[in-house]
Amino acid sequence: MKTPLQLLDAFKAHFGTGASVYRAPGRVNLIGEHTDYNDGFVLPAAIEFYCWAAAAPRRDGRLIIYSENFNETVEAALDSLSPLEKKHWANYPLGVAWALRQAGKPLTGANIYIAGDIPFGAGLSSSAAVEVATGFALLGQSGLAVDRSELAQLCQKAENEFVGAHVGIMDQFISCFGRASHALLLDCRSFQHEFVKIPTDLQLVICNTMVKHELASSEYNARRAECEEGIRILRKAFPEIRALRDVSLSQLDEHRRNLPPRVFARCRHVITENARVQNAVEAFRREDRQALGQLMRDSHRSLRDDYEVSCKELDLMAEIAAAQPGLIGARMTGGGFGGCTINLVECAAVSDFRRKVAAAYFSKTGLTPEIFVSPASGSAQQIAVLENKPAG
Ligand code: GLA
């Protein structure tokens, strides 16, 4: 990755002027998977992998956005923004401009240079980081203040309505609110949140399976629809419930016969996962590592068996990790169908852990996994860059 100064140089070479620099982090989720769009609880942490955006204002109401990762420039007029073809990288930044304007923000045009080091397609939220970094850049260049909670919601709206991916709020929120050395307990209904300290002798180790199954986005939307079906059926008996967040396990059991077995299992995952998030926060506070490890294992099993969003590579990666000394807990993280596991590992054991997990995974799959170690990082922000002025 470039330093902020190199990014400024790259901007200047591309657009011919100086710029302001912003960055937004990716994330891992410690526990609380597929709960955010059910008004539930999540416990993500921002990581030290970022999307960077260098930006300068334009007076002609146009956006010119260059992606270093894709080596491509896209141009658009702010007053006629519409999505490019499906899966185009520029739909994320253009969608944010669209959502900000929908919210009545008087944006000026901008030149934006985007560069990131969050691996794509690994489930570490490179898309949310692009959205949030662009949001900061657009608001900053237009002289508008950033309300982080509003920005997270507008970035989600951009992804839901402009990009067409029906994601929840977790990724955008943690990118806007991450705090160094902490995970964030978020109530995805009220947006109330609190920080949970990650013990200093533990590291977040992220193991990339190096696979991303094509199913990911269609199955994601299918899971959402199954949760909604569960709610529709359960509401006949409990008209007060608004989301799976409001349903207890005993209410679900009581109405098991009314639910298709698959929908029952999806609902059971969400309800038990919400409880696991609360219990994990308690376990962090009590420093009860055994309980934490068990909760992470249970979460993985529930995602594998009830929610059916794991895959053999994720199961294998979690299983290999479980056999290593110094492991507190391991589970798949993010939407599933490939991507990464999150492992909480004692610092002293991390280098052996990396080596042994990589070797074992390679011997079973022929794939060399990327294994990242990252402290929990801070939130999206503007970065002050001091340019080196030549002496004299
Ligand atoms: C993706 C989505 C999030 C969340 C997770 C699953 O990362 O972007 O909103 O639903 O999947 O927990």
Side-chain angles (χ1 to χ4, degrees):
M1 179 54 214
K2 291 187 161 41
T3 63
L5 214 50
Q6 287 169 327
L7 186 64
L8 276 185
D9 286 343
F11 185 95
K12 186 150 201 182
H14 203 85
F15 290 111
T17 67
S20 305
V21 174
Y22 308 83
R23 75 169 189 206
R27 64 100 189 90
V28 282
N29 188 17
L30 298 184
I31 197 160
E33 221 64 83
H34 291 277
T35 46
D36 59 353
Y37 52 82
N38 288 298
D39 277 5
F41 298 92
V42 292
L43 189 65
I47 53 175
E48 284 193 345
F49 290 86
Y50 299 100
C51 176
W52 295 79
R58 296 178 63 90
R59 300 286 159 224
D60 59 359
R62 293 185 70 74
L63 286 179
I64 302 188
I65 308 176
Y66 172 74
S67 162
E68 187 179 86
N69 301 77
F70 291 90
N71 187 21
E72 191 185 4
T73 302
V74 159
E75 293 198 31
L78 274 171
D79 55 13
S80 60
L81 292 167
S82 58
L84 308 178
E85 73 266 21
K86 238 176 158 9
K87 295 196 175 161
H88 198 290
W89 65 268
N91 286 338
Y92 296 90
L94 291 176
V96 173
W98 170 85
L100 288 168
R101 280 178 56 97
Q102 288 264 310
K105 308 284 176 200
L107 297 184
T108 54
N111 292 329
I112 307 183
Y113 187 111
I114 295 177
D117 59 11
I118 308 170
F120 291 135
L124 300 177
S125 260
S126 54
S127 345
V130 170
E131 292 156 13
V132 172
T134 307
F136 265 76
L138 287 170
L139 290 167
Q141 293 312 299
S142 308
L144 301 168
V146 177
D147 171 332
R148 289 172 184 261
S149 179
E150 183 188 30
L151 179 61
Q153 290 171 67
L154 289 174
C155 288
Q156 182 198 16
K157 179 184 164 95
E159 193 153 342
N160 290 171
E161 296 176 29
F162 197 89
V163 175
H166 297 129
V167 296
I169 189 71
M170 169 169 69
D171 304 348
Q172 294 78 6
F173 203 92
I174 184 65
S175 191
C176 286
F177 283 92
R179 178 181 287 182
S181 312
H182 290 77
L184 175 116
L185 169 64
L186 172 66
D187 176 336
C188 299
R189 171 173 282 166
S190 65
F191 301 135
Q192 272 184 2
H193 53 278
E194 55 189 281
F195 294 97
V196 179
K197 180 112 179 77
I198 299 177
T200 47
D201 64 325
L202 297 185
Q203 292 266 31
L204 305 179
V205 182
I206 302 158
C207 299
N208 189 352
T209 60
M210 313 305 282
V211 299
K212 186 77 204 167
H213 297 293
E214 264 310 303
L215 291 170
S217 61
S218 60
E219 289 295 314
Y220 187 95
N221 291 343
R223 294 301 176 281
R224 284 200 75 146
E226 286 160 349
C227 292
E228 280 153 24
E229 188 181 345
I231 280 293
R232 253 194 325 274
I233 297 170
L234 290 164
R235 212 180 265 144
K236 291 184 190 145
F238 309 107
E240 69 284 5
I241 61 178
R242 283 163 52 201
L244 286 177
R245 144 79 170 274
D246 304 313
V247 182
S248 69
L249 207 49
S250 59
Q251 287 175 318
L252 180 71
D253 277 333
E254 208 181 303
H255 288 274
R256 184 170 190 156
R257 67 185 178 287
N258 301 325
L259 295 158
R262 182 188 290 180
V263 173
F264 172 80
R266 307 299 191 236
C267 295
R268 180 166 60 189
H269 164 73
V270 174
I271 295 168
T272 57
E273 184 78 351
N274 275 330
R276 281 188 287 272
V277 176
Q278 305 287 357
N279 292 336
V281 170
E282 282 307 307
F284 265 113
R285 298 217 161 112
R286 290 197 314 271
E287 294 238 9
D288 184 344
R289 297 186 175 183
Q290 215 182 336
L292 194 55
Q294 186 62 46
L295 289 162
M296 290 176 79
R297 262 191 304 283
D298 292 347
S299 169
H300 186 90
R301 284 204 194 110
S302 179
L303 288 157
R304 182 190 68 195
D305 301 337
D306 272 354
Y307 220 65
E308 295 184 273
V309 290
S310 188
C311 62
K312 62 181 195 314
E313 294 86 355
L314 282 167
D315 295 344
L316 175 67
M317 194 70 97
E319 195 184 299
I320 293 170
Q324 307 305 321
L327 178 91
I328 306 301
R331 55 179 287 281
M332 56 158 278
T333 190
F337 299 102
C340 297
T341 59
I342 170 70
N343 303 264
L344 271 178
V345 184
E346 288 168 3
C347 293
V350 165
S351 62
D352 278 0
F353 178 91
R354 289 177 81 157
R355 199 166 32 79
K356 289 188 182 153
V357 169
Y361 187 75
F362 177 78
S363 85
K364 296 238 158 99
T365 61
L367 298 168
T368 303
E370 284 169 347
I371 301 188
F372 312 107
V373 180
S374 173
S377 96
S379 60
Q381 56 180 305
Q382 181 170 359
I383 304 290
V385 191
L386 297 173
E387 291 191 61
N388 289 325
K389 297 264 181 311

